[in-house]
Amino acid sequence: MTIFGESLEDVMLAKNLPINDLIAGTQISRENLRNYLAGRFEPSLPHATKIAEFCGCSLDYLLGLIDNPQYGDYAPADLLFYEHYQNFIKVRGLSHYRVAKDLNLSLNVYRNWRDGAMPNLKVFTTLCKYLGVTADSLVGRTKVQ
């Protein structure tokens, strides 16, 4: 099982959330959800975000970046990953080249992100740690106070 699968299972148990409710609330197939739970593969960033939104927990928790699910009300993610990423590197005085070099990424990934592609969860999680930002903030999702 993956961190994502374990964390999702914990949330489902804590909230007494059956898989059928998760399917209905996220419009993600039963097969995909079972694969995520079993750790056969990890979800795309949009799927992971949908799951966090439906469960009312932090995306950071599902990705294993924090230990507390931080249940609560969140403003919906805008999923404008590239725009948020651009803002975070600008504030930190970084360039795409510097990030690519430090994280051993191809510069082509930035072109793909600019064109609307999303990073896989491994790269996304690494970016969050590198930039010192929350996963929720990098997808434009904030907790409502």
Side-chain angles (χ1 to χ4, degrees), residues 18-105:
I19 195 164
N20 288 338
D21 291 356
L22 193 55
I23 292 165
T26 62
Q27 300 299 304
I28 297 172
S29 74
R30 178 181 306 277
E31 180 181 357
N32 280 349
L33 287 170
R34 283 192 174 154
N35 283 328
Y36 303 157
L37 286 164
R40 285 189 278 278
F41 62 86
E42 293 204 336
S44 64
L45 183 54
H47 273 193
T49 304
K50 260 188 194 182
I51 291 167
E53 287 183 343
F54 181 76
C55 293
C57 70
S58 171
L59 181 58
D60 295 84
Y61 177 73
L62 292 177
L63 299 179
L65 294 170
I66 60 174
D67 295 329
N68 181 325
Q70 297 184 355
Y71 296 118
D73 293 326
Y74 289 82
D78 58 26
L79 284 176
L80 298 174
F81 162 77
Y82 186 73
E83 288 81 354
H84 297 295
Y85 162 77
Q86 286 272 88
N87 289 334
F88 284 124
I89 67 168
K90 183 178 179 181
V91 166
R92 285 158 179 74
L94 298 168
S95 67
H96 295 299
Y97 177 78
R98 174 86 261 157
V99 175
K101 185 173 181 185
D102 289 348
L103 300 182
N104 197 29
L105 298 172

Side-chain angles (χ1 to χ4, degrees), residues 75-137:
D78 58 26
L79 284 176
L80 298 174
F81 162 77
Y82 186 73
E83 288 81 354
H84 297 295
Y85 162 77
Q86 286 272 88
N87 289 334
F88 284 124
I89 67 168
K90 183 178 179 181
V91 166
R92 285 158 179 74
L94 298 168
S95 67
H96 295 299
Y97 177 78
R98 174 86 261 157
V99 175
K101 185 173 181 185
D102 289 348
L103 300 182
N104 197 29
L105 298 172
S106 163
L107 283 173
N108 288 333
V109 300
Y110 301 105
R111 289 183 200 104
N112 294 339
W113 295 346
R114 183 191 62 220
D115 294 339
M118 299 276 188
N120 65 41
L121 288 187
K122 182 178 179 182
V123 170
F124 180 76
T125 303
T126 302
L127 275 171
C128 291
K129 291 175 185 176
Y130 176 81
L131 295 172
V133 300
T134 67
D136 289 303
S137 65

